[in-house]
Amino acid sequence: MVSPPPPPAPPAAIPKIQYCVRSPWAWVMEDVCNSKQSENTNGAMATVVANAKEIAQVDSPKQLVSSAILIRHLEATPKSSARARRSNRVNNSLVPSVSTLRMELLDQDSELIIPALYGTSKAFDGLDDKDELVRTFQRCRCDGLNLSPPSFLIKWDVTREECKKIIKTLPVLVEDDNNNKSNNPSQQEQQPFAVLKEPMGTRGEGIYFVQSLDEIYDVVERHRRKALDEGPDFLDSVMARKGRIPSWVLQAEVHPCRLLKSRKFHIRSYVVGIEQLGRKDVLDVRLFRRHEVRIAAQPMKNNGSGSSSSNDNGQQRDRLAHITNAGGERSATDGDNDNNIVTTAERQLLQDIPELRDIQQDLEVFCATIFRSIWPDLVRRVSCTQQDTPYPAIRKFTVAGLDLMMTQDGRFYLLEVNVNPEAPAKSVIPPTFQRHLTGMLGELVQLLIEGESPSSSSSSCHNFVPIFDLLDKQQQQKETTKQQTNGRH
């Protein structure tokens, strides 16, 4: 007699989730929670999201960290070393000033945290500020790899004589292997522009197009005086927050750049770094394979050089034709009314632009190459902070947006990295772009929840691909091509 099959095992209990999300992403997380099945999530994700919807969103980061459940867990954790306690007081890693997302997964029965998932990793800290990105590339000896346009660092209080010693000539792009030069005599003879970047400018603000040492010094000096006029408390607050007074960055312009219907554009690619406490590979970096394209509001003029309407702010050219990452533009009469800010850069997805679909593989390999080149610096930062983390139930991660531009001949350059990037207001982007952001955040949540499970690379988060998988795939393709070529000969 055949015995009946054993009853199926009861399904694993889905954990409760409570979360705290940075305000620009609140509408995205709300859409993730409200969506039973978005374009990038499967049924399992929808079930987890349904539970998350039952948990009230916590508005204040401190409320989440000081919740009774977390406190009970922390009190049960063995005391850390004196060095770790000092480090935590200095770094304030438990309650960061900026964190895109934090979640606590709670067991249904015991309500113990299993675990806490906090976007507080410092793995990308060396990439966030413009001057620190330059220093990171210098420290990792990336100068010969042409990952970013050639750059100079300029102190905030530089003198004219110091400026002359630092800048002999304006930085320009290194010619490619074929020594391609413009066939247009006017472009060959034209005085090049360089891009002067304000230390803490964001969303296109603090970008100056300069052509001479005098322009550079005038801009820096004007901002130095403005900083001093703010009083000593201003510089002290910057020092307290940054540990230094950030430097200006003078960067070569990506020229001639590739255009879309005569308009400049740059590409935004998202990456996530997930710390892996106790593993040999302490960091898992993944690239999101749905890339954004941000297009300038106005077409280029004068054979690609743009109009040259100079003003007294060192901002030559038509900014609407040359600034592609502007989050918004405010007219001079608008004052501080946020309702009067209008977007100036158009957003599309790379997959929806036929002229750019063929660049995706090269783009992703380039992004992966960036992180492979600075890998020792990333690992060092993670290893240091892991040693000082007294709470093993906290799994840390970080999110960043890479802004890249490409030349007419297809070379990519990293312009800057935005750690904990902001999401645009829902009202200023089309439904397709809303679904894109909802899908990305939904996949990120799923990836973090699955954690160390093998299913973390399943179809539910298939758009987040480990960077080393991209590099391995490229190497395999090269070897296959080589073997096919040798076979024909």
Side-chain angles (χ1 to χ4, degrees):
M1 181 177 178
V2 179
S3 59
I14 298 175
K16 294 180 181 179
I17 302 173
Q18 59 184 8
Y19 69 87
C20 176
V21 65
R22 190 181 177 198
S23 59
W25 289 91
W27 72 263
V28 186
M29 191 66 173
E30 183 178 353
D31 282 2
V32 170
C33 292
N34 289 335
S35 174
K36 298 205 181 218
Q37 187 172 3
S38 67
E39 63 182 47
N40 286 323
T41 57
N42 60 12
M45 178 64 200
T47 305
V48 174
V49 164
N51 261 274
K53 190 176 178 181
E54 299 171 3
I55 306 298
Q57 179 177 341
V58 181
D59 295 324
S60 167
K62 294 185 178 180
Q63 290 178 17
L64 181 66
V65 174
S66 62
S67 66
I69 296 172
L70 183 56
I71 291 297
R72 285 203 303 270
H73 170 78
L74 298 185
E75 287 175 347
T77 304
K79 296 295 183 181
S80 61
S81 66
R83 175 171 174 265
R85 290 194 297 272
R86 286 195 301 271
S87 177
N88 271 290
R89 283 198 299 268
V90 173
N91 295 329
N92 200 21
S93 60
L94 193 57
V95 187
S97 57
V98 176
S99 175
T100 297
L101 174 67
R102 278 168 292 159
M103 299 187 297
E104 295 173 357
L105 276 63
L106 310 177
D107 181 78
Q108 290 277 21
D109 299 323
S110 65
E111 290 195 339
L112 292 176
I113 297 174
I114 52 168
L117 306 164
Y118 288 171
T120 60
S121 172
K122 299 184 181 298
F124 296 164
D125 277 12
L127 311 178
D128 193 13
D129 292 334
K130 298 175 179 64
D131 60 337
E132 279 299 285
L133 177 62
V134 173
R135 292 189 182 96
T136 297
F137 280 148
Q138 292 173 346
R139 193 163 51 245
C140 296
R141 301 181 180 180
C142 299
D143 292 345
L145 301 179
N146 296 328
L147 300 176
S148 185
S151 304
F152 295 129
L153 294 178
I154 304 173
K155 293 191 304 180
W156 73 279
D157 58 350
V158 68
T159 66
R160 190 180 293 272
E161 291 303 315
E162 289 173 334
C163 205
K164 289 180 180 179
K165 292 179 181 178
I166 297 171
I167 307 165
K168 304 296 184 183
T169 58
L170 293 179
V172 295
L173 293 187
V174 178
E175 296 175 11
D176 64 9
D177 295 337
N178 298 319
N179 292 320
N180 290 335
K181 296 183 179 180
S182 172
N183 294 322
N184 187 331
S186 64
Q187 289 189 15
Q188 291 180 11
E189 299 171 2
Q190 186 184 35
Q191 173 70 17
F193 278 90
V195 183
L196 182 62
K197 297 183 176 182
E198 188 179 336
M200 293 184 288
T202 59
R203 296 186 296 176
E205 299 175 358
I207 298 294
Y208 300 84
F209 298 100
V210 294
Q211 288 184 296
S212 70
L213 179 66
D214 288 338
E215 284 184 281
I216 296 168
Y217 176 74
D218 289 346
V219 173
V220 176
E221 174 63 12
R222 185 170 60 253
H223 281 75
R224 183 189 72 84
R225 292 176 181 175
K226 184 178 179 181
L228 293 178
D229 289 342
E230 294 283 344
D233 291 345
F234 173 74
L235 293 176
D236 289 344
S237 66
V238 174
M239 280 291 296
R241 190 165 72 253
K242 297 288 186 181
R244 70 189 194 288
I245 304 296
S247 300
W248 289 76
V249 174
L250 180 67
Q251 193 171 79
E253 182 183 30
V254 178
H255 178 80
C257 61
R258 185 162 175 178
L259 306 177
L260 280 174
K261 297 180 180 178
S262 299
R263 299 190 184 200
K264 263 189 170 183
F265 70 92
H266 82 268
I267 299 168
R268 163 63 65 90
S269 298
Y270 290 100
V271 291
V272 58
I274 306 173
E275 295 189 12
Q276 302 183 123
L277 187 64
R279 287 192 176 189
K280 181 179 179 181
D281 297 326
V282 298
L283 184 65
D284 178 20
V285 176
R286 298 183 179 227
L287 177 71
F288 189 66
R289 302 190 68 185
R290 292 169 63 87
H291 310 276
E292 302 173 6
V293 178
R294 303 186 179 185
I295 308 169
Q298 298 293 334
M300 299 277 283
K301 303 174 184 177
N302 300 335
N303 296 322
S305 63
S307 63
S308 56
S309 54
S310 299
N311 58 32
D312 60 356
N313 291 323
Q315 301 188 40
Q316 295 183 348
R317 301 173 154 187
D318 181 355
R319 294 178 65 77
L320 295 182
H322 286 273
I323 299 295
T324 58
N325 64 336
E329 194 77 13
R330 191 196 310 268
S331 69
T333 60
D334 283 341
D336 295 325
N337 186 356
D338 288 341
N339 294 326
N340 292 322
I341 298 177
V342 294
T343 56
T344 59
E346 179 185 352
R347 292 179 171 91
Q348 295 188 35
L349 296 179
L350 187 144
Q351 65 189 42
D352 296 332
I353 303 176
E355 306 97 298
L356 298 182
R357 288 175 186 165
D358 61 338
I359 72 169
Q360 180 161 345
Q361 182 175 352
D362 291 340
L363 168 67
E364 292 172 351
V365 169
F366 177 79
C367 292
T369 302
I370 292 172
F371 285 91
R372 179 181 62 186
S373 303
I374 61 174
W375 194 253
D377 193 80
L378 304 180
V379 170
R380 176 184 62 82
R381 292 178 184 277
V382 172
S383 299
C384 290
T385 57
Q386 281 191 343
Q387 293 171 3
D388 294 335
T389 300
Y391 312 123
I394 297 177
R395 184 183 303 149
K396 295 186 290 185
F397 66 96
T398 183
V399 179
L402 313 183
D403 288 342
L404 310 108
M405 191 170 280
M406 64 184 302
T407 60
Q408 287 181 351
D409 56 5
R411 290 176 290 159
F412 294 98
Y413 289 93
L414 176 66
L415 302 181
E416 59 184 58
V417 178
N418 295 277
V419 179
N420 290 309
E422 293 186 0
K426 188 174 185 179
S427 60
V428 302
I429 56 175
T432 53
F433 213 86
Q434 295 174 20
R435 290 192 294 271
H436 155 68
L437 292 176
T438 301
M440 181 186 70
L441 190 58
E443 286 201 34
L444 175 61
V445 169
Q446 186 68 41
L447 182 64
L448 295 171
I449 289 175
E450 291 177 349
E452 301 177 3
S453 167
S455 61
S456 60
S457 55
S458 67
S459 59
S460 63
C461 24
H462 66 280
N463 283 311
F464 277 104
V465 181
I467 58 165
F468 289 110
D469 286 1
L470 294 169
L471 294 172
D472 290 343
K473 182 178 179 180
Q474 183 207 32
Q475 185 61 34
Q476 292 172 3
Q477 290 176 343
K478 285 183 177 180
E479 292 176 356
T480 300
T481 301
K482 184 177 179 181
Q483 292 174 359
Q484 291 174 346
T485 302
N486 293 338
R488 285 195 294 268
H489 292 296

